[in-house]
Amino acid sequence: AAGHRRDRFLEVEQVLVEAALRLPFRKFCTVVAHFELMTEQDLDDADDKERAKRSAELRKSRRERGGGTFEAKLDAEGFATFARRLQEIEQELFEADWAEAEERLGKGNVTIDDLYRTPTQRRADALVEMSQRAGAVPADAKKPRPSVVVHISHEAFEAEIKRRVGAEFAYPANFTAELSDGTPISPGRALALAVEGEVRRLVFDGPDVRTRFGRSKRFADGALREMIMARDRHCQGPGCDVPAWRCDVDHIIDWQHDGETNGDDLELKCRWHNGNKSQFHIFTDPVTGRVSWRRRRPARAA
């Protein structure tokens, strides 16, 4: 709130305080990061700061009796790519641990405490597994190109292009962008990613993606699934932030109750919320369009 941000902070202080009271800590940090990006004195200087962050570094140190520790600093895109692959392998190891515990103790009798690895141990083993898989790939193999999803409004993207070429433009209300994991980036970085890569746009209810299949098909796949993932980003269960790639695309009105495979009747749910949704009343607010969950009362004994 000091220096050049003081006046802008006074304008939005109430909004920031309300966000601090309402949002989980991680999401509030995202709001603050957006505020910092939007109040930079010099946008080119902001882009320079982001480029400076790209000087990623990793430190390693060997511990006594073998073993060692790593400390790494990655840029936003690098971290998003690395974290996604690590989480995928970590999830594989979790499912293997759970299956082993069920075989040992019986289905329905397993809790997290019964797994023989802790989350941090599984994460360390996942990192080793990632390196082993990388070592098994032939040196001349073609590397898969990372897919980086950027959320930016058309107004912000257009304003950044005009700013870059020196054309007249007006700042939109929200002049920032986000990666799919919620990491804020500047419109300048979003434009650079668009220039460096191949752009594929998803236009909701436009010619790019067919979003309404009615009862002609049950499962959302292909471009429709990608659209739902880009829109929801994470599980839509209350307070749940399981990332999109680990979620199912589920009907809000169940298929067996005449639900349709349309974009507005689909949402992301993690395996737990998908499997336990019968315990909740799920309804859509007619004013805000927001989907809410309310736990059902247990049935009274006769």
Side-chain angles (χ1 to χ4, degrees):
H4 68 275
R5 289 195 174 96
R6 178 176 174 79
D7 292 340
R8 288 294 303 277
F9 178 79
L10 294 176
E11 293 174 8
V12 300
E13 181 179 6
Q14 183 176 351
V15 175
L16 291 173
V17 171
E18 289 175 354
L21 294 171
R22 178 173 49 88
L23 296 176
F25 178 74
R26 180 180 171 185
K27 291 186 177 180
F28 174 64
C29 289
T30 300
V31 171
V32 173
H34 275 296
F35 169 74
E36 291 177 336
L37 276 176
M38 293 178 66
T39 52
E40 286 289 355
Q41 283 182 304
D42 188 317
L43 290 175
D44 291 319
D45 182 51
D47 291 336
D48 288 339
K49 288 180 181 178
E50 284 201 83
R51 280 192 287 272
K53 292 178 185 177
R54 294 187 61 81
S55 56
E57 55 187 32
L58 183 146
R59 296 185 177 92
K60 61 179 181 178
S61 58
R62 188 170 293 279
R63 294 163 51 186
E64 296 179 4
R65 301 179 184 178
T69 60
F70 291 96
E71 180 183 356
K73 183 176 72 173
L74 304 175
D75 60 40
E77 302 96 81
F79 181 81
T81 301
F82 174 83
R84 165 74 181 271
R85 297 293 170 251
L86 184 67
Q87 288 172 354
E88 288 175 349
I89 299 175
E90 189 180 347
Q91 181 65 21
E92 292 178 22
L93 299 184
F94 173 81
E95 291 173 0
D97 288 356
W98 193 271
E100 184 277 334
E102 284 187 330
E103 185 175 350
R104 176 164 39 91
L105 301 173
K107 289 189 175 182
N109 299 320
V110 176
T111 67
I112 292 293
D113 294 333
D114 297 316
L115 305 186
Y116 78 94
R117 282 183 286 202
T118 65
T120 53
Q121 290 171 337
R122 252 191 317 274
R123 195 169 301 124
D125 289 346
L127 183 61
V128 174
E129 177 68 18
M130 182 189 293
S131 67
Q132 290 173 338
R133 294 184 186 184
V137 176
D140 58 349
K142 184 178 180 180
K143 293 192 299 183
R145 300 187 65 184
S147 175
V148 179
V149 178
V150 178
H151 295 261
I152 184 171
S153 69
H154 180 271
E155 293 78 13
F157 197 67
E158 183 178 49
E160 177 61 20
I161 293 174
K162 290 180 178 179
R163 188 181 75 84
R164 288 288 179 173
V165 300
E168 185 178 346
F169 74 99
Y171 286 109
N174 183 13
F175 195 53
T176 60
E178 279 187 6
L179 300 181
S180 58
D181 64 357
T183 302
I185 61 174
S186 69
R189 186 61 202 145
L191 179 60
L193 287 170
V195 172
E196 294 168 5
E198 297 175 1
V199 178
R200 181 185 180 195
R201 65 176 186 164
L202 293 174
V203 179
F204 289 40
D205 285 328
D208 287 30
V209 180
R210 181 182 174 190
T211 64
R212 308 189 71 83
F213 290 90
R215 299 284 297 178
S216 64
K217 63 181 294 185
R218 178 172 182 176
F219 298 105
D221 52 18
L224 178 56
R225 175 179 171 80
E226 291 181 14
M227 187 205 77
I228 301 299
M229 291 174 65
R231 183 195 68 194
D232 290 354
R233 305 201 205 184
H234 56 78
C235 173
Q236 298 302 289
C240 187
D241 61 357
V242 171
W245 62 270
R246 285 178 51 193
C247 292
D248 301 323
V249 177
D250 186 54
H251 290 82
I252 296 174
I253 301 175
D254 284 337
W255 178 261
Q256 58 267 35
H257 296 151
D258 296 326
E260 298 184 349
T261 306
N262 301 330
D264 53 4
D265 189 38
L266 298 169
E267 67 178 4
L268 294 181
K269 291 193 185 82
C270 67
R271 294 293 170 86
W272 189 91
H273 279 109
N274 196 1
N276 292 277
K277 61 186 179 183
S278 60
Q279 300 176 22
F280 297 84
H281 287 292
I282 305 174
F283 58 94
T284 303
D285 188 298
V287 177
T288 65
R290 185 175 182 179
V291 177
S292 300
W293 292 53
R294 184 174 297 164
R295 187 176 288 275
R296 297 178 185 271
R297 293 182 178 179
R300 294 183 179 179

